[in-house]
Structure formats: C-alpha cells, structure tokens
Amino acid sequence: MSNDNTNQIEIHGVNKKFVIDKKKVDILKDINLEFKKGEFICIVGASGCGKSTLLRMISGLETVEEGEITVGGQKVTQPTLKTGMVFQESRLFPWSNVEKNIEFGITHSKSKKLDKYAKKKLVNSLIELVGLKGFEKAIPKQLSGGMQQRVSIARGLINNPDVLLLDEPFGALDAITRINMQNEILRIWEAEKKTMVLVTHDIDEAIYLGDKVVVLSSRPGTLRKVFNVDLPRERDRNSAEFASIRSKIYKEFFNDVKRKEPEYYI
Amino acid sequence: MNRSKKGIVDYVIIIISPILLLTIWQVVTDKGWINGAIMPSPKKVIEAFKSLIVTGKYWEQFSASLFRVSIGFTVGTVAGVAIGVLTGLFKKVDDLVTVIFSVLRSIPTIGLIPLFILWCGIGEESKIIIISLGTFWSVLLNTQRGISGTDAKLLEVARILQKNRFVVLSKIVIPAALPSLFTGIRLGISGAWRSVIAAEMIASVRGIGYMIQYAREMSQPAVMFVGLLTLGVVGLALDLVVKWLEKRLIYWS
Ligand SMILES: Nc1ncnc2c1ncn2[C@@H]1O[C@H](COP(=O)(O)OP(=O)(O)OP(=O)(O)O)[C@@H](O)[C@H]1O
Ligand SMILES: [Mg+2]
C-alpha cells in the first residue's frame, strides 16, 4: 500500500491505571508499538484486556499519564480532527437522518469552513463511499445495524483524518453482514489510504484485514506479540497460509491462559 | 391480534360502556329513583348546556378559564424550561437551588392560593401565578432530568469531533432532552388545568371553576354537571393534543 515507511502512530512505554473500587488497577502495562503510515492494524485480545482503553488513548479521549503516544509526530493530549473514531455502538443521533449524522462531523468546524453546497457534496460523496445511496433521509431506527455502522464510518471519515480508529465496529453484526462489512472497510481503506487501527476479538477478522495483528494479553493488558500478515488481498480464509497464522495466534492466546493459570489457585 | 389496528368490533366495545352508563343514568333519574335536585338527568344537562350556549354565558366562563390557562401555562413552561436547562447543565446552579426548590415543590399549589390572593388580590394576577406554578414544577423537573441525562456516549462523539458548547447544546443536549421535556409538558398542562379550577373556585367571578361553585349556591345541578363534563372533556383534549404533537416532534422514538 502507500506505506512510505514513516511512523504514523508511535506508542512508547505506555502504562494505564484506572481506579476501580478505590484501588489503582493496572489496565495496560508497558505497551510499545509503531504503526506505519497507511497500514491496517488489528488489535486482538480477550474481553476486558484494555483494547478500547488503548484505542481511546490514541484518540485522545483517555489521558496518557505514563509513557507517550504520538500521532503524525504530534504528542496526543486531546482529541484532534486528524484522528477519526468509529465506536462499537454506532453512536448515531437517533433524531438525525443519515445526511445530518454524517454532516455533524463538519458543522461549525473551526478548521473547515465550507459553504452549504460544498458540505452537501462532501456528505454525498461519503454516502456513496459507504454504499448508502438512497438512504440519505432515513433515520437510524430505519436502518439495519450494518447500515448504521456505515453511517458511523462515514462520519469518522468526513474530516479527512490521517488515522481512523475502529473499536469493534462489527461486533454487533451477524456473521454474513460482518464479512460484507470487512470487505467494505478494506475497499474504503484502499480508496482513502488512511492508517486504520481496528480492535476486534475475532481472530479471523484480524488476519483477514490486518497488515499487522497485535495480540494483547489480559489483565493487565501487555503486548504479547505482533504478527505480520504478508498475504495478498483479497485473502482466502481457507488457505494454508491463513490457517498457519491463525494457529500461531491461537497458540499465543493458549499460552497466555496457561501462563496465568497459577493465579486461580490463590 | 394486532393491538394497534382497531376494527369495527373494537370500536363498538370501546363505546359500549359510556352509552350504557348514560342510559342507566337517564333511566334512574327519569324514574325518580334519584333526587333530581342533586342529580340531574343527562337530558337536563344537555338542556342546561344549550341554554348556557345560547345566552353566551358558557363562552364567557369557558374563555375566562382558557385565557388564564394559556397565559399561566406559557409562563410556567417557559420558566420551567429555562431554569431546567440551567440546573440540568450546571451542577453548581442545581446545588444552589436544590434545597429551596425541594421544599417549595412539596407545597401543593392549591395551598398557595390564599397567599397569592393576599399578595396580588383576587384579580387575574393571582390566578395566573397559581397556574404557572401548577405547570412549572413538572416542566422544570423533567427538563432538568432530560438535560442531565444526555447519553455520555453521544457527548463523546462531539468531543472527538471537536464541537463547541453551542453545537453540543443545540444538536445533542436539547434533542436528547425533548422526550423528557414533553413528559413535563403533559404533566404541566394537566397541572395548569387543575390549578385554574381550584383558583376559580376559591376566588373568582368568572371561569368554569366559578360556574361550578356558583351552580351549587344557586342549586343548579345541571349547570354544575355542564362544568364538570367540560373539565373532563377539555382535560382529555389537551392531553390528546400534546400526545399528537409529541408523536410528530419526537419522530425518532
Ligand atoms: N473509565 C474507566 N474507569 C475505570 N475502569 C475502567 C474505565 N474504562 C475501562 N475500565 C476498565 O479497564 C479494563 C479494560 O477495559 P476496556 O474497555 O479497555 O476493555 P476491552 O479490551 O475493550 O474489552 P471488550 O473487548 O469487552 O470491549 C476493564 O477492566 C474495565 O473495567
Ligand atoms: Mg472494548
């Protein structure tokens, strides 16, 4: 892809603690990662291992107290329009139609002063990109889960960010819609040339989509391993290479569980 | 069975009981089983209604009540929404007024009628204040609840998209609060209707409340029933109007 070998995202020595029940609990520990420009990164890990937290820290929604995260060379301290986010629940405004939900990204923007016509054109091009032509005036309750997630992706893209973060964007979808959406997001990624970081707990999804698959261990979330997936797209889930990477990742998880087993005897 | 689609049979069942009730009422009063001086027959009530219409007295009383309710309800709603938005948005403002409001809210509006008569006399002002109060508390409470209950997940969307306070308020907080605000308005309008009658019964020379009170003094039970039925029908109509508006304005729920 358009990897020009500069780092888009760098994560150095990041630890994260949350106060739970009046105690400081380690959530993420010693995370070090570098993602190149234009890469598609997938992060997998068990539920509660801190995947969302890591993504939220990259986005600037969660503070980075220990270590440092940079996006495009800039230290992350708060959200910027250079980083877009797609949440697990589509988080659309139920009272706004598709157009308005997407356009929200650029209403009263400080950086982008577009006239009405230009706004409409931009929104329409995004509606086309995510394949929702004909549904401009539909409100979220009239859309299926997959369609809602497309709106959310379009909203995430409207400020033309360098990075798009996706937190289990297809988690709530059925298997077939999910596979369709995976192909859609690849098509969008290829068209838009963004750096995409996608969190999932579906290992097949991660291998199917990612240039890299980052595996996190659980409680606290530490970096287990980063797998490079050098298979050409469109990838065949049933190929021997795919299966071999899958089995390596499964092993990684399996070892993770084994390693932690003694904890349960306490 | 589809509950939302009603067939003819359903409508028959719905109107069968009121017709039955009217018939029994007519029969027992016709037969003299009930004293006509305390319970007029439906026919007598209709006659009284007709003559009140013809003489223009009905409209005089009805419009007086309607006028007071319109003003009082508007004032109460505007104040309730304004203060509700402030207390909903700013925790500090809420803390500032919470004790005072909690005590005042617990006083039934009717109990305040003598006080406002003392302060403002028995003119329109005291009644309009009472009606405003009868509206105010439920609008305030529900507005506040709606505003402060805005889904934090949607607010986060605004944060990541770098929206200023104005956009957050107009595009997220206000629409998110609308359903709750409407609940407040529905309660408020019935509160207004209750208060106007109470105020008119205690001190007034016009209005439906006065008409009911005066009919008792004049021993005109039929007129009294005209007043009571007016209260029921208007109360129902107001509720239906608000419900209809709600369905239209809150199209997303
Ligand atoms: N704001 C917060 N305050 C306190 N604890 C939090 C907060 N946010 C997350 N946590 C805790 O951090 C841990 C990791 O949460 P996170 O949402 O990042 O997990 P996840 O890997 O995304 O899980 P899932 O796959 O279920 O979404 C959890 O144990 C959670 O309880
Ligand atoms: Mg998560």
Side-chain angles (χ1 to χ4, degrees), chain A residues 54-261:
Chain A
L54 182 59
L55 213 59
R56 291 167 58 82
M57 287 169 88
I58 299 172
S59 77
L61 282 175
E62 211 74 71
T63 54
V64 183
E65 287 118 3
E66 294 172 50
E68 188 179 78
I69 297 180
T70 62
V71 173
Q74 298 263 310
K75 194 174 162 186
V76 176
T77 53
Q78 57 175 1
T80 78
L81 294 179
K82 293 226 169 291
T83 306
M85 180 91 156
V86 175
F87 296 94
Q88 174 164 5
E89 336 79 13
S90 55
R91 298 199 187 184
L92 303 177
F93 304 140
W95 46 84
S96 298
N97 62 27
V98 168
E99 262 175 2
K100 290 269 165 57
N101 261 298
I102 298 173
E103 201 199 296
F104 179 78
I106 47 169
T107 40
H108 288 83
S109 267
K110 288 171 226 158
S111 57
K112 242 190 187 119
K113 289 268 180 282
L114 294 174
D115 62 40
K116 229 176 148 187
Y117 178 76
K119 267 187 191 172
K120 192 147 181 102
K121 221 174 114 184
L122 179 57
V123 170
N124 279 339
S125 71
L126 279 163
I127 287 177
E128 203 145 337
L129 180 74
V130 298
L132 280 177
K133 247 186 127 27
F135 290 92
E136 290 85 351
K137 303 289 180 209
I139 60 172
K141 77 164 182 184
Q142 297 165 326
L143 301 173
S144 70
M147 291 160 102
Q148 291 181 13
Q149 214 41 285
R150 286 163 198 257
V151 180
S152 179
I153 291 168
R155 182 176 64 189
L157 286 169
I158 196 164
N159 283 294
N160 196 24
D162 299 329
V163 175
L164 188 65
L165 307 173
L166 303 109
D167 191 359
E168 294 192 43
F170 315 135
L173 306 178
D174 64 89
I176 293 168
T177 314
R178 199 179 171 114
I179 287 172
N180 284 332
M181 289 299 291
Q182 289 167 4
N183 289 325
E184 286 289 302
I185 200 72
L186 278 180
R187 183 178 59 72
I188 292 167
W189 173 65
E190 272 157 15
E192 300 284 306
K193 310 226 183 310
K194 309 270 178 225
T195 307
M196 291 200 177
V197 183
L198 182 143
V199 161
T200 177
H201 46 224
D202 179 342
I203 292 169
D204 272 36
E205 179 169 282
I207 306 168
Y208 186 73
L209 295 175
D211 294 316
K212 277 182 188 163
V213 177
V214 175
V215 179
L216 296 181
S217 71
S218 35
R219 279 157 215 265
T222 59
L223 194 57
R224 289 289 289 159
K225 201 158 188 169
V226 180
F227 291 88
N228 289 308
V229 187
D230 284 325
L231 306 178
R233 294 184 176 90
E234 179 175 328
R235 291 172 182 163
D236 178 0
R237 289 167 221 260
N238 298 315
S239 69
E241 296 94 328
F242 200 102
S244 126
I245 295 172
R246 181 195 289 131
S247 89
K248 277 184 205 153
I249 295 178
Y250 270 96
K251 246 180 221 142
E252 203 57 54
F253 271 110
F254 185 64
N255 290 342
D256 188 27
V257 172
K258 239 187 182 166
R259 191 172 53 86
K260 300 207 102 192
E261 236 166 21

Side-chain angles (χ1 to χ4, degrees), chain A residues 56 60-61 79 81 85 89 91 93-95 104-105 107-109 141 155 159, chain B residues 153-154 156-163 166-167 171-172 175-176 251-253:
Chain A
R56 291 167 58 82
L61 282 175
L81 294 179
M85 180 91 156
E89 336 79 13
R91 298 199 187 184
F93 304 140
W95 46 84
F104 179 78
T107 40
H108 288 83
S109 267
K141 77 164 182 184
R155 182 176 64 189
N159 283 294
Chain B
K153 290 182 170 174
L154 296 185
E156 219 171 57
V157 170
R159 222 185 116 203
I160 202 128
L161 291 166
Q162 307 264 284
K163 297 305 167 200
F166 167 74
V167 175
K171 302 270 171 177
I172 304 179
Y251 49 85
W252 63 85
S253 65

Side-chain angles (χ1 to χ4, degrees), chain A residues 16-21 25-28 44-56 62 88 167-168 199-201 216 219 221:
Chain A
K16 182 75 184 176
K17 297 183 175 78
F18 274 129
V19 178
I20 299 173
D21 201 15
V25 179
D26 284 317
I27 302 296
L28 289 168
V44 292
S47 182
C49 76
K51 303 182 295 294
S52 296
T53 305
L54 182 59
L55 213 59
R56 291 167 58 82
E62 211 74 71
Q88 174 164 5
D167 191 359
E168 294 192 43
V199 161
T200 177
H201 46 224
L216 296 181
R219 279 157 215 265

